[in-house]
Amino acid sequence: MKQDLIAMIDVGCKQLVKVARTIRRLGVYSEIYPHDSTAEFIKSRPNLRGIIVCGGDNRVVDGVSIDVNPAIYDIGVPVLTVEHKGSHANDVDAWPLEPTLILENFIDRCGADRNWNMGEFVEAQIEEIRAQVKDGRVLLALSGGVDSSVVAAILYRAIGDRLTCVHVNHGLLRKGESERVIEVFEREMGANLIYVDASERFLAALEGVEDPERKRKIIGELFIRVFEEEAKKLQGDIDFLAQGTIYPDILESGTKTEKAVKAHHNVGGLPQDVHFKLVEPLKYLFKDEVRQCGEQLGLPADMIYRQPFPGPGLGVRCLGAITRERLEITRESDAVLRDEFKKHGLDKKVWQYFTVVPDFKSVGVKNSQRTFEYPVIIRAVNTVDAMTATVEPLMFPVLAAITARILDEVPGCNRVLYDLTPKPTGTIEWE
Ligand code: XMP
């Protein structure tokens, strides 16, 4: 089985990702390499059919103009050189000529088969995992998020019970989330799953901590520590650590011409004293392709098409110092909100939606009794890249239905508010 490859070489083109995605959309697999890649390396990529040298505004790095190794022109496959400059740098449609047409012509010139599809990709990855792991064992931190779930499914297909998944419940997950992980991966799939309920440890470590950044740091570090403890118990037995790294994680962690957007914790942030080799079967996939891959592997839709959920979970939505009472209000109100969004068909329309519980109370009245309880804040936003966001214009009857249910079903709260703030000035999360 072969999937032809068109290599893209990054010489400072801001539209690189869009070009790579367009080539894949046209049915040919593409990968992005740094400008100083050697001709030997490029030539060694399986089924290489063509090379696109992409130049642009970022061609000058730290005052020095960069270029490709000239030897890449002698590899023996067609080379297309494109250079894009100007203010529409993020818009592939702003190329001087119809870009899709240029790419289509180039694909034809290369004689590349347009056979890139998820079924073949999955089969190729399974072969690659088997070749890499041989008869070794693999460990995976399975959060239940899209990426780690798809990694679990593909690894299970490749190596079966030589995969061990560890699911750490930090007590800040949404209602029913850990149960769903156990149901899908242990009961239905039959994978080895170690479930660690570390809720109490996390709550204890977070007690009295108000500062959002400290909360994040505590949650992140304790998560790694708990996972390391489990890994150490298995060490000696296990040779590989699987990670749900995806292509944007690698690209956003900084190619050579683009400064890092943000440091992703699964790129370069590995625990120091645990010695595993890495398996990263999704590292060349974009997010929508990861979802297609999950579908191909038969994962349930609710696991693949879920809204983003931050690593620190409900911890950054239960504002200020976390208490059990407010954490439960956050979790229960979130469950009601998700249920109502689903009922109204909004779960497929709105990018991210959740509830937030602040750490102050207000006076109210319930059953003729004065109450002094917490408010629940609803947030529902749409965005393309999470850098900016707009508020979903929820219809009043929907808001009223959600409000009624939260006040009726969630103990400890007496008001519901709707956050009308776009990003900027607000961030999507409150902490
Ligand atoms: P903000 O609040 O910065 O969020 O507008 C943008 C997007 O990132 C998610 N987010 C996080 N994801 N760890 C994560 O994995 C975090 O600490 C974190 N903080 C925010 C947020 O949910 C939104 O989708």
Side-chain angles (χ1 to χ4, degrees):
M1 188 255 328
K2 74 178 180 69
Q3 296 232 288
D4 287 347
L5 168 74
I6 292 196
M8 297 187 40
I9 305 188
D10 173 19
V11 195
C13 176
K14 286 183 181 167
Q15 310 165 307
L16 208 60
V17 169
K18 280 205 169 183
V19 179
R21 296 190 50 116
T22 306
I23 297 170
R24 291 188 188 188
R25 192 162 47 74
L26 294 171
V28 180
Y29 183 54
S30 63
E31 288 180 2
I32 298 172
Y33 308 113
H35 68 92
D36 55 358
S37 302
T38 63
E40 289 71 37
F41 170 76
I42 305 277
K43 199 174 175 177
S44 74
R45 301 301 296 153
N47 303 317
L48 178 73
R49 289 288 173 273
I51 298 170
I52 302 181
V53 176
C54 282
D57 284 339
N58 292 346
R59 189 154 196 157
V60 176
V61 177
D62 298 331
V64 181
S65 179
I66 55 169
D67 208 341
V68 293
N69 277 314
I72 67 128
Y73 292 97
D74 301 325
I75 287 178
V77 294
V79 180
L80 174 71
T81 305
V82 293
E83 175 105 10
H84 180 264
K85 290 188 178 293
S87 55
H88 301 288
N90 286 320
D91 182 4
V92 83
D93 299 325
W95 273 17
L97 283 167
E98 170 61 48
T100 308
L101 199 63
I102 296 175
L103 295 175
E104 291 207 61
N105 289 340
F106 183 62
I107 289 169
D108 291 343
R109 211 176 105 206
C110 296
D113 281 343
R114 298 189 184 201
N115 63 355
W116 153 252
N117 65 60
M118 208 36 79
E120 302 251 358
F121 179 83
V122 166
E123 294 312 317
Q125 282 307 308
I126 287 172
E127 274 177 40
E128 206 165 295
I129 292 166
R130 287 179 182 154
Q132 186 192 359
V133 172
K134 301 195 175 76
D135 54 5
R137 304 185 73 91
V138 180
L139 182 65
L140 168 70
L142 175 59
S143 68
V146 183
D147 304 337
S148 68
S149 296
V150 175
V151 172
I154 198 166
L155 276 163
Y156 186 74
R157 274 274 305 278
I159 59 166
D161 63 6
R162 283 183 290 116
L163 167 70
T164 302
C165 301
V166 174
H167 176 65
V168 176
N169 179 357
H170 55 24
L172 306 166
L173 295 172
R174 286 171 290 197
K175 190 175 180 176
E177 214 156 19
S178 282
E179 291 80 356
R180 187 83 178 119
V181 168
I182 294 169
E183 180 182 314
V184 170
F185 292 99
E186 194 173 54
R187 301 221 188 94
E188 291 173 18
M189 195 178 281
N192 286 327
L193 179 69
I194 297 173
Y195 171 69
V196 187
D197 182 357
S199 318
E200 293 300 324
R201 277 178 76 176
F202 277 84
L203 281 180
L206 288 163
E207 201 176 325
V209 181
E210 289 179 9
D211 178 62
E213 287 313 306
R214 269 197 67 211
K215 284 167 73 176
R216 268 202 170 70
K217 200 157 183 270
I218 289 170
I219 297 166
E221 286 179 0
L222 187 53
F223 191 90
I224 290 179
R225 204 170 315 142
V226 172
F227 182 70
E228 272 177 346
E229 286 170 13
E230 293 305 316
K232 283 200 177 117
K233 287 185 206 162
L234 298 161
Q235 213 166 20
D237 271 357
I238 301 221
D239 325 272
F240 293 90
L241 182 68
Q243 298 232 343
T245 313
I246 68 171
Y247 214 17
D249 298 339
I250 293 176
L251 298 175
E252 285 177 12
S253 288
T255 59
K256 287 183 180 163
T257 62
E258 192 88 57
K259 297 275 182 260
V261 179
K262 52 186 166 181
H264 282 266
H265 62 254
N266 46 359
V267 178
L270 279 176
Q272 291 298 312
D273 55 344
V274 185
H275 302 288
F276 294 113
K277 285 166 264 178
L278 281 185
V279 185
E280 299 177 299
L282 309 181
K283 71 175 172 197
Y284 288 120
L285 294 187
F286 293 104
K287 193 82 187 184
D288 54 323
E289 294 170 337
V290 173
R291 293 200 163 97
Q292 285 171 34
C293 183
E295 273 191 0
Q296 184 71 34
L297 290 157
L299 283 176
D302 66 304
M303 213 152 229
I304 307 171
Y305 294 96
R306 57 201 336 247
Q307 51 168 328
F309 185 63
L314 301 181
V316 292
R317 297 174 181 174
C318 180
L319 305 185
I322 297 170
T323 63
R324 281 166 207 271
E325 184 193 14
R326 283 192 305 110
L327 186 58
E328 272 324 291
I329 299 174
T330 314
R331 189 172 353 248
E332 292 297 325
S333 58
D334 172 75
V336 170
L337 182 80
R338 283 194 286 147
D339 192 43
E340 284 295 313
F341 264 52
K342 200 168 177 186
K343 269 191 202 159
H344 290 93
L346 291 163
D347 56 331
K348 295 190 182 66
K349 177 174 173 252
V350 181
W351 193 81
Q352 197 174 16
Y353 47 96
F354 52 88
T355 60
V356 175
V357 177
D359 53 354
F360 61 82
K361 293 179 176 180
S362 75
V363 174
V365 60
K366 212 183 258 178
N367 303 326
S368 315
Q369 297 281 318
R370 177 189 184 277
T371 60
F372 189 50
E373 293 177 318
Y374 295 103
V376 168
I377 300 161
I378 297 170
R379 186 119 175 93
V381 296
N382 293 306
T383 177
V384 175
D385 56 7
M387 303 297 283
T388 62
T390 56
V391 176
E392 168 69 18
L394 285 180
M395 290 294 139
F396 191 78
V398 175
L399 281 169
I402 297 167
T403 301
R405 272 196 64 192
I406 289 177
L407 294 177
D408 187 41
E409 295 174 27
V410 183
C413 60
N414 62 0
R415 282 174 201 273
V416 176
L417 317 174
Y418 188 35
D419 183 356
L420 295 175
T421 319
K423 174 181 181 174
T425 55
T427 48
I428 294 175
E429 303 287 348
W430 271 53
E431 285 193 338

